[in-house]
Amino acid sequence: MIYIKNIEIEDSKDCIYLDSRSLNLWSQNQWENELINKHVHKLGIYSDELILGLCVFLIVVNEAELRYLSVDPSFRRKGLGSKLMNKFLEVCQKENITKVFLEVSTKNKEAISFYNSFGFETCNIRKKYYKDGSDAVLKMKELLKK
C-alpha cells in the first residue's frame, strides 16, 4: 500500500537512505537540521515501510519554498512524484500560501519538465550557481486564494 506521511526526526535514516540513492544532495547533519526545524514541512511517500520519495518545504508567512523533492530512481515514472507534488500544493492551499518557489539545475531537464507540468514558471536564473558550474533556474507558481 502506498501512503504519504509526515516525516519526523526518527525518520532521518529513511531520508539519508533515499537521498543517497537519488539526488545525494544533503549530508546527515543537513538532514537532521531540516528535520528538527519546526518551520520545515517534511512528507515521505512509502510502500509498507520502504521510503520511495520525499518532499521538504519551508513556509514563511504566505510563501513556500520547495527545498527537496525526489523519488527513488527504482520507483520513478510511476506517479509518485506527482502524488508528492499534489500533496505539497494541497498543504500550501490549506496554509493560504500565495506563491511557491523552487530552484533546479539547468542540467536537470526531467525535473524542469516535471515542474513546468505543474504550472511553475521561470522567474530568474542564477548563473554558475552550482559547484559543477551549472546555472540554477528559479521557478515560481502563484496559487489562488481560497
Side-chain angles (χ1 to χ4, degrees), residues 3 27 35-36 77 91 100 110 137 141:
Y3 61 96
S27 68
L35 294 174
I36 61 172
R77 301 242 174 245
V91 170
V100 178
E110 190 174 347
V137 178
K141 177 179 175 69

Side-chain angles (χ1 to χ4, degrees), residues 52-73:
L52 307 177
L54 282 167
C55 177
V56 179
F57 56 101
L58 175 67
I59 292 178
V60 179
V61 188
N62 64 341
E63 295 181 350
E65 176 192 356
L66 181 60
R67 297 167 64 102
Y68 187 98
L69 179 71
S70 186
V71 172
D72 186 303

